[in-house]
PDB file of all heavy atoms in Angstrom:
ATOM      1  N   ASP A   1      16.931  39.884  -6.371  1.00 92.00           N
ATOM      2  CA  ASP A   1      15.489  39.946  -6.128  1.00 92.00           C
ATOM      3  C   ASP A   1      15.101  39.588  -4.703  1.00 92.00           C
ATOM      4  O   ASP A   1      14.176  40.181  -4.138  1.00 92.00           O
ATOM      5  CB  ASP A   1      14.743  38.996  -7.081  1.00 92.00           C
ATOM      6  CG  ASP A   1      15.047  39.268  -8.541  1.00 92.00           C
ATOM      7  OD1 ASP A   1      15.744  40.251  -8.821  1.00 92.00           O
ATOM      8  OD2 ASP A   1      14.584  38.504  -9.401  1.00 92.00           O
ATOM      9  N   MET A   2      15.788  38.591  -4.124  1.00 94.00           N
ATOM     10  CA  MET A   2      15.346  38.022  -2.853  1.00 94.00           C
ATOM     11  C   MET A   2      16.473  38.034  -1.839  1.00 94.00           C
ATOM     12  O   MET A   2      17.586  37.568  -2.126  1.00 94.00           O
ATOM     13  CB  MET A   2      14.856  36.578  -3.064  1.00 94.00           C
ATOM     14  CG  MET A   2      13.832  36.435  -4.183  1.00 94.00           C
ATOM     15  SD  MET A   2      13.402  34.709  -4.521  1.00 94.00           S
ATOM     16  CE  MET A   2      12.432  34.342  -3.062  1.00 94.00           C
ATOM     17  N   HIS A   3      16.207  38.577  -0.659  1.00 92.00           N
ATOM     18  CA  HIS A   3      17.163  38.603   0.444  1.00 92.00           C
ATOM     19  C   HIS A   3      16.592  37.709   1.543  1.00 92.00           C
ATOM     20  O   HIS A   3      15.599  38.059   2.171  1.00 92.00           O
ATOM     21  CB  HIS A   3      17.373  40.022   0.954  1.00 92.00           C
ATOM     22  CG  HIS A   3      17.627  41.020  -0.137  1.00 92.00           C
ATOM     23  ND1 HIS A   3      17.217  42.338  -0.046  1.00 92.00           N
ATOM     24  CD2 HIS A   3      18.231  40.887  -1.334  1.00 92.00           C
ATOM     25  CE1 HIS A   3      17.575  42.973  -1.145  1.00 92.00           C
ATOM     26  NE2 HIS A   3      18.182  42.114  -1.942  1.00 92.00           N
ATOM     27  N   ILE A   4      17.215  36.578   1.766  1.00 92.00           N
ATOM     28  CA  ILE A   4      16.623  35.545   2.618  1.00 92.00           C
ATOM     29  C   ILE A   4      17.441  35.395   3.895  1.00 92.00           C
ATOM     30  O   ILE A   4      18.648  35.139   3.847  1.00 92.00           O
ATOM     31  CB  ILE A   4      16.577  34.192   1.877  1.00 92.00           C
ATOM     32  CG1 ILE A   4      15.840  34.364   0.542  1.00 92.00           C
ATOM     33  CG2 ILE A   4      15.911  33.116   2.726  1.00 92.00           C
ATOM     34  CD1 ILE A   4      16.086  33.231  -0.417  1.00 92.00           C
ATOM     35  N   GLU A   5      16.784  35.571   5.025  1.00 90.00           N
ATOM     36  CA  GLU A   5      17.420  35.359   6.324  1.00 90.00           C
ATOM     37  C   GLU A   5      17.381  33.861   6.659  1.00 90.00           C
ATOM     38  O   GLU A   5      16.307  33.263   6.696  1.00 90.00           O
ATOM     39  CB  GLU A   5      16.679  36.142   7.402  1.00 90.00           C
ATOM     40  CG  GLU A   5      16.797  37.645   7.273  1.00 90.00           C
ATOM     41  CD  GLU A   5      18.080  38.184   7.885  1.00 90.00           C
ATOM     42  OE1 GLU A   5      18.833  37.380   8.483  1.00 90.00           O
ATOM     43  OE2 GLU A   5      18.329  39.396   7.780  1.00 90.00           O
ATOM     44  N   VAL A   6      18.549  33.294   6.855  1.00 89.00           N
ATOM     45  CA  VAL A   6      18.650  31.875   7.229  1.00 89.00           C
ATOM     46  C   VAL A   6      19.125  31.831   8.680  1.00 89.00           C
ATOM     47  O   VAL A   6      20.316  31.957   8.963  1.00 89.00           O
ATOM     48  CB  VAL A   6      19.618  31.108   6.302  1.00 89.00           C
ATOM     49  CG1 VAL A   6      19.626  29.619   6.643  1.00 89.00           C
ATOM     50  CG2 VAL A   6      19.223  31.312   4.841  1.00 89.00           C
ATOM     51  N   SER A   7      18.183  31.690   9.583  1.00 84.00           N
ATOM     52  CA  SER A   7      18.499  31.738  11.003  1.00 84.00           C
ATOM     53  C   SER A   7      18.837  30.348  11.536  1.00 84.00           C
ATOM     54  O   SER A   7      18.447  29.325  10.961  1.00 84.00           O
ATOM     55  CB  SER A   7      17.318  32.314  11.800  1.00 84.00           C
ATOM     56  OG  SER A   7      16.989  33.607  11.332  1.00 84.00           O
ATOM     57  N   ARG A   8      19.543  30.342  12.658  1.00 78.00           N
ATOM     58  CA  ARG A   8      19.839  29.079  13.321  1.00 78.00           C
ATOM     59  C   ARG A   8      18.616  28.661  14.141  1.00 78.00           C
ATOM     60  O   ARG A   8      18.156  29.408  15.010  1.00 78.00           O
ATOM     61  CB  ARG A   8      21.064  29.238  14.229  1.00 78.00           C
ATOM     62  CG  ARG A   8      21.471  27.961  14.947  1.00 78.00           C
ATOM     63  CD  ARG A   8      22.756  28.182  15.693  1.00 78.00           C
ATOM     64  NE  ARG A   8      22.650  29.335  16.584  1.00 78.00           N
ATOM     65  CZ  ARG A   8      23.690  29.884  17.193  1.00 78.00           C
ATOM     66  NH1 ARG A   8      24.893  29.432  16.967  1.00 78.00           N
ATOM     67  NH2 ARG A   8      23.516  30.918  18.006  1.00 78.00           N
ATOM     68  N   PRO A   9      18.048  27.466  13.893  1.00 71.00           N
ATOM     69  CA  PRO A   9      16.865  27.049  14.662  1.00 71.00           C
ATOM     70  C   PRO A   9      17.235  26.745  16.101  1.00 71.00           C
ATOM     71  O   PRO A   9      18.367  26.325  16.389  1.00 71.00           O
ATOM     72  CB  PRO A   9      16.405  25.784  13.921  1.00 71.00           C
ATOM     73  CG  PRO A   9      17.624  25.260  13.254  1.00 71.00           C
ATOM     74  CD  PRO A   9      18.453  26.460  12.905  1.00 71.00           C
ATOM     75  N   PRO A  10      16.326  26.975  17.030  1.00 64.00           N
ATOM     76  CA  PRO A  10      16.623  26.665  18.432  1.00 64.00           C
ATOM     77  C   PRO A  10      16.805  25.169  18.648  1.00 64.00           C
ATOM     78  O   PRO A  10      16.247  24.346  17.913  1.00 64.00           O
ATOM     79  CB  PRO A  10      15.388  27.185  19.172  1.00 64.00           C
ATOM     80  CG  PRO A  10      14.304  27.229  18.149  1.00 64.00           C
ATOM     81  CD  PRO A  10      14.987  27.554  16.849  1.00 64.00           C
ATOM     82  N   ALA A  11      17.582  24.835  19.658  1.00 59.00           N
ATOM     83  CA  ALA A  11      17.889  23.425  19.915  1.00 59.00           C
ATOM     84  C   ALA A  11      16.646  22.634  20.281  1.00 59.00           C
ATOM     85  O   ALA A  11      16.589  21.418  20.085  1.00 59.00           O
ATOM     86  CB  ALA A  11      18.927  23.315  21.033  1.00 59.00           C
ATOM     87  N   THR A  12      15.611  23.308  20.792  1.00 52.00           N
ATOM     88  CA  THR A  12      14.398  22.609  21.221  1.00 52.00           C
ATOM     89  C   THR A  12      13.407  22.406  20.078  1.00 52.00           C
ATOM     90  O   THR A  12      12.365  21.781  20.268  1.00 52.00           O
ATOM     91  CB  THR A  12      13.707  23.413  22.330  1.00 52.00           C
ATOM     92  OG1 THR A  12      13.425  24.733  21.851  1.00 52.00           O
ATOM     93  CG2 THR A  12      14.591  23.495  23.560  1.00 52.00           C
ATOM     94  N   ALA A  13      13.720  22.936  18.900  1.00 53.00           N
ATOM     95  CA  ALA A  13      12.781  22.853  17.781  1.00 53.00           C
ATOM     96  C   ALA A  13      12.675  21.417  17.288  1.00 53.00           C
ATOM     97  O   ALA A  13      13.640  20.656  17.292  1.00 53.00           O
ATOM     98  CB  ALA A  13      13.243  23.764  16.646  1.00 53.00           C
ATOM     99  N   ASP A  14      11.493  21.055  16.836  1.00 57.00           N
ATOM    100  CA  ASP A  14      11.265  19.754  16.236  1.00 57.00           C
ATOM    101  C   ASP A  14      11.602  19.866  14.747  1.00 57.00           C
ATOM    102  O   ASP A  14      10.790  20.336  13.947  1.00 57.00           O
ATOM    103  CB  ASP A  14       9.813  19.326  16.440  1.00 57.00           C
ATOM    104  CG  ASP A  14       9.540  17.927  15.889  1.00 57.00           C
ATOM    105  OD1 ASP A  14      10.526  17.209  15.646  1.00 57.00           O
ATOM    106  OD2 ASP A  14       8.365  17.588  15.697  1.00 57.00           O
ATOM    107  N   LEU A  15      12.804  19.464  14.400  1.00 65.00           N
ATOM    108  CA  LEU A  15      13.283  19.658  13.042  1.00 65.00           C
ATOM    109  C   LEU A  15      12.735  18.569  12.122  1.00 65.00           C
ATOM    110  O   LEU A  15      12.925  17.378  12.368  1.00 65.00           O
ATOM    111  CB  LEU A  15      14.811  19.647  13.004  1.00 65.00           C
ATOM    112  CG  LEU A  15      15.504  20.764  13.797  1.00 65.00           C
ATOM    113  CD1 LEU A  15      17.009  20.622  13.697  1.00 65.00           C
ATOM    114  CD2 LEU A  15      15.068  22.129  13.283  1.00 65.00           C
ATOM    115  N   GLN A  16      12.065  18.991  11.065  1.00 67.00           N
ATOM    116  CA  GLN A  16      11.557  18.081  10.059  1.00 67.00           C
ATOM    117  C   GLN A  16      12.225  18.418   8.725  1.00 67.00           C
ATOM    118  O   GLN A  16      12.513  19.579   8.426  1.00 67.00           O
ATOM    119  CB  GLN A  16      10.034  18.211   9.922  1.00 67.00           C
ATOM    120  CG  GLN A  16       9.272  17.909  11.205  1.00 67.00           C
ATOM    121  CD  GLN A  16       9.350  16.435  11.580  1.00 67.00           C
ATOM    122  OE1 GLN A  16       9.459  15.584  10.702  1.00 67.00           O
ATOM    123  NE2 GLN A  16       9.307  16.150  12.866  1.00 67.00           N
ATOM    124  N   SER A  17      12.477  17.408   7.917  1.00 66.00           N
ATOM    125  CA  SER A  17      13.140  17.646   6.640  1.00 66.00           C
ATOM    126  C   SER A  17      12.234  18.330   5.630  1.00 66.00           C
ATOM    127  O   SER A  17      12.687  19.055   4.760  1.00 66.00           O
ATOM    128  CB  SER A  17      13.648  16.321   6.054  1.00 66.00           C
ATOM    129  OG  SER A  17      12.564  15.427   5.835  1.00 66.00           O
ATOM    130  N   GLY A  18      10.920  18.134   5.742  1.00 77.00           N
ATOM    131  CA  GLY A  18      10.007  18.770   4.802  1.00 77.00           C
ATOM    132  C   GLY A  18      10.041  18.094   3.446  1.00 77.00           C
ATOM    133  O   GLY A  18      10.306  16.902   3.325  1.00 77.00           O
ATOM    134  N   MET A  19       9.781  18.867   2.385  1.00 85.00           N
ATOM    135  CA  MET A  19       9.687  18.307   1.038  1.00 85.00           C
ATOM    136  C   MET A  19      11.049  17.882   0.507  1.00 85.00           C
ATOM    137  O   MET A  19      12.076  18.490   0.804  1.00 85.00           O
ATOM    138  CB  MET A  19       9.071  19.334   0.085  1.00 85.00           C
ATOM    139  CG  MET A  19       7.595  19.578   0.305  1.00 85.00           C
ATOM    140  SD  MET A  19       6.875  20.609  -1.004  1.00 85.00           S
ATOM    141  CE  MET A  19       7.748  22.151  -0.731  1.00 85.00           C
ATOM    142  N   THR A  20      11.036  16.844  -0.307  1.00 89.00           N
ATOM    143  CA  THR A  20      12.245  16.388  -0.987  1.00 89.00           C
ATOM    144  C   THR A  20      12.422  17.185  -2.276  1.00 89.00           C
ATOM    145  O   THR A  20      11.519  17.909  -2.716  1.00 89.00           O
ATOM    146  CB  THR A  20      12.157  14.901  -1.316  1.00 89.00           C
ATOM    147  OG1 THR A  20      11.073  14.693  -2.250  1.00 89.00           O
ATOM    148  CG2 THR A  20      11.904  14.068  -0.059  1.00 89.00           C
ATOM    149  N   SER A  21      13.579  17.023  -2.910  1.00 91.00           N
ATOM    150  CA  SER A  21      13.827  17.705  -4.180  1.00 91.00           C
ATOM    151  C   SER A  21      12.837  17.256  -5.252  1.00 91.00           C
ATOM    152  O   SER A  21      12.391  18.065  -6.080  1.00 91.00           O
ATOM    153  CB  SER A  21      15.259  17.445  -4.652  1.00 91.00           C
ATOM    154  OG  SER A  21      16.190  18.128  -3.831  1.00 91.00           O
ATOM    155  N   ALA A  22      12.483  15.971  -5.270  1.00 91.00           N
ATOM    156  CA  ALA A  22      11.538  15.468  -6.264  1.00 91.00           C
ATOM    157  C   ALA A  22      10.169  16.128  -6.105  1.00 91.00           C
ATOM    158  O   ALA A  22       9.526  16.504  -7.103  1.00 91.00           O
ATOM    159  CB  ALA A  22      11.413  13.947  -6.144  1.00 91.00           C
ATOM    160  N   GLN A  23       9.725  16.297  -4.860  1.00 92.00           N
ATOM    161  CA  GLN A  23       8.438  16.938  -4.625  1.00 92.00           C
ATOM    162  C   GLN A  23       8.481  18.417  -5.004  1.00 92.00           C
ATOM    163  O   GLN A  23       7.543  18.950  -5.607  1.00 92.00           O
ATOM    164  CB  GLN A  23       8.044  16.782  -3.149  1.00 92.00           C
ATOM    165  CG  GLN A  23       7.748  15.349  -2.746  1.00 92.00           C
ATOM    166  CD  GLN A  23       7.595  15.196  -1.247  1.00 92.00           C
ATOM    167  OE1 GLN A  23       8.269  15.882  -0.464  1.00 92.00           O
ATOM    168  NE2 GLN A  23       6.715  14.295  -0.833  1.00 92.00           N
ATOM    169  N   MET A  24       9.580  19.083  -4.663  1.00 93.00           N
ATOM    170  CA  MET A  24       9.710  20.496  -5.004  1.00 93.00           C
ATOM    171  C   MET A  24       9.797  20.682  -6.514  1.00 93.00           C
ATOM    172  O   MET A  24       9.224  21.627  -7.066  1.00 93.00           O
ATOM    173  CB  MET A  24      10.940  21.077  -4.313  1.00 93.00           C
ATOM    174  CG  MET A  24      10.831  21.118  -2.786  1.00 93.00           C
ATOM    175  SD  MET A  24      12.353  21.680  -1.973  1.00 93.00           S
ATOM    176  CE  MET A  24      12.369  23.414  -2.412  1.00 93.00           C
ATOM    177  N   LYS A  25      10.483  19.776  -7.199  1.00 93.00           N
ATOM    178  CA  LYS A  25      10.614  19.908  -8.654  1.00 93.00           C
ATOM    179  C   LYS A  25       9.267  19.738  -9.336  1.00 93.00           C
ATOM    180  O   LYS A  25       8.977  20.420 -10.330  1.00 93.00           O
ATOM    181  CB  LYS A  25      11.613  18.890  -9.198  1.00 93.00           C
ATOM    182  CG  LYS A  25      11.909  19.072 -10.680  1.00 93.00           C
ATOM    183  CD  LYS A  25      13.115  18.295 -11.123  1.00 93.00           C
ATOM    184  CE  LYS A  25      13.478  18.624 -12.571  1.00 93.00           C
ATOM    185  NZ  LYS A  25      14.720  17.954 -13.001  1.00 93.00           N
ATOM    186  N   GLU A  26       8.432  18.861  -8.838  1.00 94.00           N
ATOM    187  CA  GLU A  26       7.105  18.681  -9.427  1.00 94.00           C
ATOM    188  C   GLU A  26       6.288  19.958  -9.303  1.00 94.00           C
ATOM    189  O   GLU A  26       5.579  20.352 -10.241  1.00 94.00           O
ATOM    190  CB  GLU A  26       6.386  17.518  -8.735  1.00 94.00           C
ATOM    191  CG  GLU A  26       5.011  17.209  -9.309  1.00 94.00           C
ATOM    192  CD  GLU A  26       5.053  16.894 -10.798  1.00 94.00           C
ATOM    193  OE1 GLU A  26       6.052  16.313 -11.264  1.00 94.00           O
ATOM    194  OE2 GLU A  26       4.083  17.261 -11.488  1.00 94.00           O
ATOM    195  N   ILE A  27       6.389  20.635  -8.165  1.00 94.00           N
ATOM    196  CA  ILE A  27       5.690  21.917  -7.986  1.00 94.00           C
ATOM    197  C   ILE A  27       6.242  22.956  -8.965  1.00 94.00           C
ATOM    198  O   ILE A  27       5.484  23.728  -9.574  1.00 94.00           O
ATOM    199  CB  ILE A  27       5.837  22.405  -6.533  1.00 94.00           C
ATOM    200  CG1 ILE A  27       5.152  21.432  -5.568  1.00 94.00           C
ATOM    201  CG2 ILE A  27       5.260  23.812  -6.366  1.00 94.00           C
ATOM    202  CD1 ILE A  27       5.389  21.746  -4.103  1.00 94.00           C
ATOM    203  N   VAL A  28       7.573  22.978  -9.120  1.00 94.00           N
ATOM    204  CA  VAL A  28       8.204  23.926 -10.043  1.00 94.00           C
ATOM    205  C   VAL A  28       7.740  23.669 -11.474  1.00 94.00           C
ATOM    206  O   VAL A  28       7.439  24.612 -12.224  1.00 94.00           O
ATOM    207  CB  VAL A  28       9.738  23.829  -9.938  1.00 94.00           C
ATOM    208  CG1 VAL A  28      10.407  24.623 -11.060  1.00 94.00           C
ATOM    209  CG2 VAL A  28      10.221  24.342  -8.586  1.00 94.00           C
ATOM    210  N   LEU A  29       7.674  22.405 -11.879  1.00 94.00           N
ATOM    211  CA  LEU A  29       7.277  22.074 -13.247  1.00 94.00           C
ATOM    212  C   LEU A  29       5.825  22.481 -13.511  1.00 94.00           C
ATOM    213  O   LEU A  29       5.495  22.957 -14.605  1.00 94.00           O
ATOM    214  CB  LEU A  29       7.465  20.581 -13.503  1.00 94.00           C
ATOM    215  CG  LEU A  29       8.913  20.079 -13.539  1.00 94.00           C
ATOM    216  CD1 LEU A  29       8.965  18.576 -13.730  1.00 94.00           C
ATOM    217  CD2 LEU A  29       9.698  20.778 -14.648  1.00 94.00           C
ATOM    218  N   GLN A  30       4.945  22.288 -12.531  1.00 94.00           N
ATOM    219  CA  GLN A  30       3.558  22.707 -12.700  1.00 94.00           C
ATOM    220  C   GLN A  30       3.463  24.222 -12.876  1.00 94.00           C
ATOM    221  O   GLN A  30       2.742  24.714 -13.758  1.00 94.00           O
ATOM    222  CB  GLN A  30       2.731  22.263 -11.482  1.00 94.00           C
ATOM    223  CG  GLN A  30       2.512  20.765 -11.380  1.00 94.00           C
ATOM    224  CD  GLN A  30       1.754  20.382 -10.130  1.00 94.00           C
ATOM    225  OE1 GLN A  30       1.302  21.240  -9.359  1.00 94.00           O
ATOM    226  NE2 GLN A  30       1.616  19.081  -9.896  1.00 94.00           N
ATOM    227  N   ALA A  31       4.200  24.962 -12.042  1.00 93.00           N
ATOM    228  CA  ALA A  31       4.198  26.422 -12.167  1.00 93.00           C
ATOM    229  C   ALA A  31       4.827  26.861 -13.484  1.00 93.00           C
ATOM    230  O   ALA A  31       4.380  27.834 -14.101  1.00 93.00           O
ATOM    231  CB  ALA A  31       4.942  27.044 -10.990  1.00 93.00           C
ATOM    232  N   ASP A  32       5.858  26.138 -13.927  1.00 91.00           N
ATOM    233  CA  ASP A  32       6.527  26.485 -15.185  1.00 91.00           C
ATOM    234  C   ASP A  32       5.591  26.290 -16.366  1.00 91.00           C
ATOM    235  O   ASP A  32       5.599  27.086 -17.313  1.00 91.00           O
ATOM    236  CB  ASP A  32       7.788  25.633 -15.345  1.00 91.00           C
ATOM    237  CG  ASP A  32       8.633  26.060 -16.533  1.00 91.00           C
ATOM    238  OD1 ASP A  32       9.119  27.209 -16.522  1.00 91.00           O
ATOM    239  OD2 ASP A  32       8.797  25.261 -17.479  1.00 91.00           O
ATOM    240  N   ARG A  33       4.803  25.227 -16.335  1.00 92.00           N
ATOM    241  CA  ARG A  33       3.823  25.008 -17.411  1.00 92.00           C
ATOM    242  C   ARG A  33       2.780  26.119 -17.426  1.00 92.00           C
ATOM    243  O   ARG A  33       2.348  26.575 -18.495  1.00 92.00           O
ATOM    244  CB  ARG A  33       3.166  23.633 -17.255  1.00 92.00           C
ATOM    245  CG  ARG A  33       4.069  22.467 -17.606  1.00 92.00           C
ATOM    246  CD  ARG A  33       3.292  21.172 -17.688  1.00 92.00           C
ATOM    247  NE  ARG A  33       2.863  20.711 -16.374  1.00 92.00           N
ATOM    248  CZ  ARG A  33       3.564  19.873 -15.613  1.00 92.00           C
ATOM    249  NH1 ARG A  33       4.731  19.410 -16.028  1.00 92.00           N
ATOM    250  NH2 ARG A  33       3.099  19.490 -14.447  1.00 92.00           N
ATOM    251  N   TYR A  34       2.385  26.560 -16.241  1.00 90.00           N
ATOM    252  CA  TYR A  34       1.411  27.650 -16.141  1.00 90.00           C
ATOM    253  C   TYR A  34       2.009  28.944 -16.705  1.00 90.00           C
ATOM    254  O   TYR A  34       1.333  29.693 -17.429  1.00 90.00           O
ATOM    255  CB  TYR A  34       0.999  27.831 -14.677  1.00 90.00           C
ATOM    256  CG  TYR A  34      -0.094  28.836 -14.445  1.00 90.00           C
ATOM    257  CD1 TYR A  34      -1.425  28.496 -14.655  1.00 90.00           C
ATOM    258  CD2 TYR A  34       0.197  30.131 -14.009  1.00 90.00           C
ATOM    259  CE1 TYR A  34      -2.438  29.420 -14.442  1.00 90.00           C
ATOM    260  CE2 TYR A  34      -0.810  31.061 -13.797  1.00 90.00           C
ATOM    261  CZ  TYR A  34      -2.128  30.690 -14.013  1.00 90.00           C
ATOM    262  OH  TYR A  34      -3.123  31.603 -13.810  1.00 90.00           O
ATOM    263  N   ARG A  35       3.272  29.218 -16.384  1.00 88.00           N
ATOM    264  CA  ARG A  35       3.958  30.413 -16.906  1.00 88.00           C
ATOM    265  C   ARG A  35       4.115  30.327 -18.419  1.00 88.00           C
ATOM    266  O   ARG A  35       3.985  31.334 -19.135  1.00 88.00           O
ATOM    267  CB  ARG A  35       5.330  30.566 -16.256  1.00 88.00           C
ATOM    268  CG  ARG A  35       5.296  31.007 -14.818  1.00 88.00           C
ATOM    269  CD  ARG A  35       6.695  30.951 -14.206  1.00 88.00           C
ATOM    270  NE  ARG A  35       7.580  31.933 -14.786  1.00 88.00           N
ATOM    271  CZ  ARG A  35       7.732  33.176 -14.343  1.00 88.00           C
ATOM    272  NH1 ARG A  35       7.015  33.604 -13.319  1.00 88.00           N
ATOM    273  NH2 ARG A  35       8.585  33.999 -14.915  1.00 88.00           N
ATOM    274  N   SER A  36       4.443  29.140 -18.924  1.00 88.00           N
ATOM    275  CA  SER A  36       4.644  28.975 -20.367  1.00 88.00           C
ATOM    276  C   SER A  36       3.371  29.287 -21.136  1.00 88.00           C
ATOM    277  O   SER A  36       3.412  29.907 -22.211  1.00 88.00           O
ATOM    278  CB  SER A  36       5.108  27.547 -20.669  1.00 88.00           C
ATOM    279  OG  SER A  36       6.358  27.283 -20.058  1.00 88.00           O
TER     280      SER A  36
END
């Protein structure tokens, strides 16, 4: 279904970790309840 380009970020980029697995899972569970 999905073809995802994973590029190498430039060395000057301000790299942030972003969301944790716990935060992402909470979003997934909310969407899953909506789908159910």
Side-chain angles (χ1 to χ4, degrees):
D1 304 354
M2 309 174 72
H3 312 148
I4 305 163
E5 292 277 356
V6 184
S7 302
R8 181 174 54 191
T12 57
D14 183 16
L15 298 179
Q16 300 291 330
S17 60
M19 289 189 295
T20 64
S21 289
Q23 293 170 326
M24 294 175 71
K25 186 166 186 176
E26 182 57 33
I27 296 173
V28 170
L29 292 177
Q30 290 177 5
D32 188 63
R33 287 191 289 268
Y34 185 80
R35 288 172 68 89
S36 297

